[in-house]
Amino acid sequence: MDCLRKALNEISKLKQQYSSLLANIALNSLDWLLDRQGLRIKRYADDFVVMCRSHAQAEEALALVQSHLGEELKLNLSPEKTHIAAFSEGFSYLGFDLCSRSVTMRAKSVENLKAKVREITERSHNLDDDLITRLNRILRGTANYFATPFSHNRRLFKEFDKWIRVRLLRRSASVNGKPTTGQLIYQWRLKHFRRIGLLSLYDFYPQPA
């Protein structure tokens, strides 16, 4: 089963790499088209945002993109992901929710993170080194992507750190050889988890001087 899981993971990585490469090749003409029209586009593979000065210009840009993709590339925009939004209202892009007031981790990204943690902790009933190592791999990857200087995820990360600590203790049969009880859950603080090597998402943000 482990061999199959590793093979599927490698296949997924290859698919992502080649999908991104093909998207960049196919959409290169769209980049140049919008540039000639004086429009700014931010694109990663087939996810992109076109920045406009007015709602009217945004409507023209949308029509231009739809026309180019349909007639030149035989592609269609996703109705679920395509819309016109003011920066003050906000929009989602590459796992972030962006608006004029803040840049935060998207709710769907948080749920995906929790799902990964649940998958790991469902199979383990003890806080051992192997579990901590696997969790840290996920937490470090999340922090490297979302704990950026321009994002505002401090409060969210603090809440998630608390969620994962409570979950770990409630699902663990023992901690350091001691049976897990309600009193132990209450007594175990952040410093105890740091002592056993569990990373904290909140700690990845530079602390105020």
Side-chain angles (χ1 to χ4, degrees), residues 105 113 116 134-147 157 199 201 204:
M105 191 173 176
L113 175 58
K116 292 179 181 178
R134 287 186 290 162
L135 285 173
N136 282 347
R137 191 177 299 120
I138 292 174
L139 295 175
R140 185 178 289 107
T142 299
N144 287 341
Y145 187 77
F146 288 103
F157 278 9
L199 296 176
L201 284 175
F204 279 88

Side-chain angles (χ1 to χ4, degrees), residues 25-86:
I25 294 173
L27 296 178
N28 184 58
S29 61
L30 177 65
D31 297 342
W32 285 106
L33 173 64
L34 294 175
D35 183 70
R36 289 195 298 270
Q37 297 296 321
L39 296 168
R40 295 181 61 188
I41 179 174
K42 292 296 181 182
R43 181 174 64 80
Y44 178 80
D46 59 349
D47 289 315
F48 58 88
V49 175
V50 180
M51 289 166 281
C52 305
R53 296 183 179 86
S54 66
H55 191 275
Q57 188 183 47
E59 290 182 330
E60 293 176 359
L62 177 57
L64 180 64
V65 170
Q66 289 175 324
S67 174
H68 181 76
L69 292 181
E71 296 177 8
E72 300 296 329
L73 303 177
K74 309 304 178 185
L75 298 173
N76 295 312
L77 292 172
S78 168
E80 295 80 14
K81 296 182 178 180
T82 305
H83 65 281
I84 296 175

Side-chain angles (χ1 to χ4, degrees), residues 4-197:
L4 176 60
R5 189 179 299 111
K6 290 180 180 179
L8 291 175
N9 287 338
E10 291 302 318
I11 291 173
S12 297
K13 291 178 182 178
L14 287 173
K15 182 179 179 182
Q16 291 173 358
Q17 292 173 1
Y18 283 107
S19 295
S20 298
L21 176 61
L22 292 174
N24 287 330
I25 294 173
L27 296 178
N28 184 58
S29 61
L30 177 65
D31 297 342
W32 285 106
L33 173 64
L34 294 175
D35 183 70
R36 289 195 298 270
Q37 297 296 321
L39 296 168
R40 295 181 61 188
I41 179 174
K42 292 296 181 182
R43 181 174 64 80
Y44 178 80
D46 59 349
D47 289 315
F48 58 88
V49 175
V50 180
M51 289 166 281
C52 305
R53 296 183 179 86
S54 66
H55 191 275
Q57 188 183 47
E59 290 182 330
E60 293 176 359
L62 177 57
L64 180 64
V65 170
Q66 289 175 324
S67 174
H68 181 76
L69 292 181
E71 296 177 8
E72 300 296 329
L73 303 177
K74 309 304 178 185
L75 298 173
N76 295 312
L77 292 172
S78 168
E80 295 80 14
K81 296 182 178 180
T82 305
H83 65 281
I84 296 175
F87 190 32
S88 58
E89 299 171 357
F91 60 94
S92 298
Y93 183 60
L94 299 181
F96 287 93
D97 281 334
L98 302 95
C99 72
S100 57
R101 298 177 300 278
S102 64
V103 178
T104 57
M105 191 173 176
R106 189 181 177 189
K108 185 177 180 180
S109 300
V110 176
E111 284 305 312
N112 289 340
L113 175 58
K114 286 186 175 182
K116 292 179 181 178
V117 172
R118 290 190 186 102
E119 182 180 2
I120 291 177
T121 55
E122 284 287 348
R123 302 173 184 173
S124 178
H125 297 284
N126 292 297
L127 270 174
D128 53 24
D129 291 341
D130 180 62
L131 177 62
I132 296 300
T133 298
R134 287 186 290 162
L135 285 173
N136 282 347
R137 191 177 299 120
I138 292 174
L139 295 175
R140 185 178 289 107
T142 299
N144 287 341
Y145 187 77
F146 288 103
T148 60
F150 60 81
S151 64
H152 308 87
N153 290 311
R154 290 179 185 273
R155 178 181 295 181
L156 176 63
F157 278 9
K158 195 170 187 177
E159 292 174 353
F160 188 85
D161 284 339
K162 180 179 179 181
W163 176 84
I164 193 172
R165 293 197 301 268
V166 171
R167 177 175 177 82
L168 285 175
L169 286 175
R170 286 179 174 172
R171 295 198 59 80
S172 298
S174 64
V175 179
N176 290 346
K178 298 180 180 179
T180 304
T181 63
Q183 183 179 4
L184 182 63
I185 292 175
Y186 177 78
Q187 291 175 344
W188 264 61
R189 303 298 184 187
L190 179 59
K191 63 181 180 180
H192 296 95
F193 284 91
R194 285 175 175 159
R195 194 175 299 158
I196 64 174

